[in-house]
């Protein structure tokens, strides 16, 4: 069974926590250590960012991390090589998050094969058109048992959400707002209503809520209305500041209690 499906099937009553960080930031060779530290500290799933020069859905924190990673020399090929060295040491799902251009340059078939060889269970491609997903990416990804995770926003129609739910597997990434990534202090009533509305649709796939989660209020709001929460910008900031995954996690867990 794919590790993503296994995670959700075995933790239906547990509120999951997934963290995002950008491969190659703060250091080129630190990616494997960050992953092993996050698993050891109880993180449920990890999203590893593929650095790209034009990350249109990302705010300044993740843009800066991508810039640093590229300057450090991180590439998709280098990332796969690093992940392959720890494949047998990591049991939680790893999801690559990156834009379409580098993946297409690498080649869809080669990308999915490298995912399998390096222990990657899924991929999130924010700028992948759904038709291209269905026609080009999904048939290849299915052969390699790689989950392609789709995003929905408060502006996504119910018809579209049900269509995505029907044609994807793994989980649905619920973006808390249509804006770029970045920490928020609270979710307003409109966002909470969006969470409740999607929760009431009884979708087939579990959902994870991301974008803006950085404290107790936003974490609890996400976990009450989905299988769990995804934290990106807050952790990326702390990791860049401390240069230590353990120290960044200590500070993150403190922030999530406030």
């Amino acid at each position: 069974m794919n590790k993503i499906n296994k995670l959700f099937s075995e933790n239906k009553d547990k509120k999951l926590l997934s963290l995002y960080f950008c491969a190659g930031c703060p250091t080129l060779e630190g990616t494997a250590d960050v992953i092993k530290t996050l698993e050891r500290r109880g993180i449920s799933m990890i999203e590893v960012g593929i650095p790209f020069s034009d990350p249109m859905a990302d705010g300044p924190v993740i843009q800066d991390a991508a810039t640093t990673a590229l300057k450090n020399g991180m590439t998709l090929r280098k990332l796969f090589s690093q992940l392959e060295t720890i494949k047998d040491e990591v049991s939680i799902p790893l999801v690559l998050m990156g834009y379409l251009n580098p993946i297409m340059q690498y080649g869809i078939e080669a990308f999915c094969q490298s995912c399998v060889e390096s222990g990657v269970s899924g991929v999130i491609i924010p700028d992948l058109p759904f038709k291209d997903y269905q026609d080009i990416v999904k048939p290849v990804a299915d052969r390699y048992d790689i989950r392609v995770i789709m995003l929905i926003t408060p502006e996504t129609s119910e018809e579209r959400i049900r269509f995505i739910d029907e044609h994807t597997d793994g989980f649905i990434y619920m973006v808390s707002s249509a804006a770029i990534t970045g920490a928020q202090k609270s979710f307003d009533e409109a966002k909470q209503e969006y969470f409740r509305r999607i929760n009431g649709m009884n979708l087939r796939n579990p959902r994870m809520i991301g974008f803006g989660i950085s404290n107790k209020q936003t974490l609890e709001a996400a976990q009450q209305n989905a299988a769990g929460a995804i934290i990106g910008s807050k952790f990326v900031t702390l990791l860049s500041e401390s240069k230590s995954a353990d120290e960044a996690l200590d500070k993150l867990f403190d922030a999530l209690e406030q």
Side-chain angles (χ1 to χ4, degrees):
M1 179 186 285
N2 181 285
K3 286 183 180 180
I4 295 173
N5 299 92
K6 184 178 180 182
L7 174 70
F8 288 102
S9 67
E10 292 181 353
N11 294 276
K12 291 182 178 178
D13 298 322
K14 179 184 175 185
K15 295 306 180 182
L16 305 174
L17 179 60
S18 177
L19 295 189
Y20 166 96
F21 77 100
C22 183
C25 180
T27 65
L28 177 62
E29 301 297 341
T31 302
D33 180 65
V34 173
I35 290 171
K36 289 190 290 185
T37 301
L38 296 189
E39 176 168 27
R40 174 170 52 80
R41 297 289 298 274
I43 300 305
S44 310
M45 179 168 58
I46 302 172
E47 291 177 20
V48 183
I50 304 168
F52 183 52
S53 57
D54 186 25
M56 60 185 183
D58 295 314
V61 169
I62 293 177
Q63 285 185 22
D64 288 348
T67 299
T68 297
L70 291 172
K71 287 180 178 176
N72 286 343
M74 179 53 72
T75 64
L76 184 51
R77 199 167 298 280
K78 177 76 171 175
L79 173 57
F80 278 131
S81 176
Q82 291 179 347
L83 295 178
E84 195 167 350
T85 65
I86 58 168
K87 176 182 178 181
D88 296 332
E89 302 175 55
V90 179
S91 60
I92 63 174
L94 299 181
V95 179
L96 294 187
M97 187 166 188
Y99 292 87
L100 187 58
N101 185 282
I103 295 171
M104 291 299 289
Q105 287 186 3
Y106 195 91
I108 295 296
E109 183 98 24
F111 177 83
C112 290
Q113 184 172 343
S114 291
C115 283
V116 172
E117 292 170 352
S118 58
V120 171
S121 299
V123 59
I124 300 169
I125 311 173
D127 58 341
L128 174 64
F130 200 83
K131 188 174 190 311
D132 289 349
Y133 156 71
Q134 285 188 292
D135 296 345
I136 301 169
V137 178
K138 186 178 187 297
V140 181
D142 284 351
R143 282 206 311 273
Y144 288 91
D145 198 32
I146 300 298
R147 301 291 174 261
V148 182
I149 307 304
M150 289 290 169
L151 288 76
I152 64 172
T153 76
E155 281 70 41
T156 309
S157 69
E158 178 173 337
E159 180 183 19
R160 178 75 168 179
I161 292 169
R162 293 199 182 281
F163 188 75
I164 289 172
D165 186 48
E166 182 181 348
H167 292 91
T168 62
D169 189 20
F171 69 95
I172 291 174
Y173 191 137
M174 280 182 65
V175 176
S176 67
S177 73
I180 57 175
T181 57
Q184 300 175 36
K185 291 184 178 179
S186 64
F187 289 139
D188 60 24
E189 179 55 33
K191 288 187 178 69
Q192 305 236 24
E193 172 55 32
Y194 156 61
F195 297 161
R196 292 191 292 267
R197 175 170 61 87
I198 305 304
N199 199 28
M201 289 177 65
N202 297 314
L203 299 177
R204 180 177 61 87
N205 280 296
R207 302 165 324 282
M208 296 285 285
I209 296 177
F211 283 43
I213 297 167
S214 63
N215 57 19
K216 186 175 182 179
Q217 195 274 353
T218 49
L219 177 67
E220 289 183 347
Q223 290 184 330
Q224 285 169 5
N225 292 282
I230 299 167
I231 298 178
S233 295
K234 182 70 174 180
F235 179 68
V236 169
T237 297
L238 295 170
L239 185 60
S240 296
E241 290 172 352
S242 68
K243 306 293 190 287
S244 159
D246 265 314
E247 188 176 325
L249 276 174
D250 287 340
K251 293 178 178 178
L252 177 64
F253 291 150
D254 284 346
L256 295 177
E257 290 296 321
Q258 299 172 21

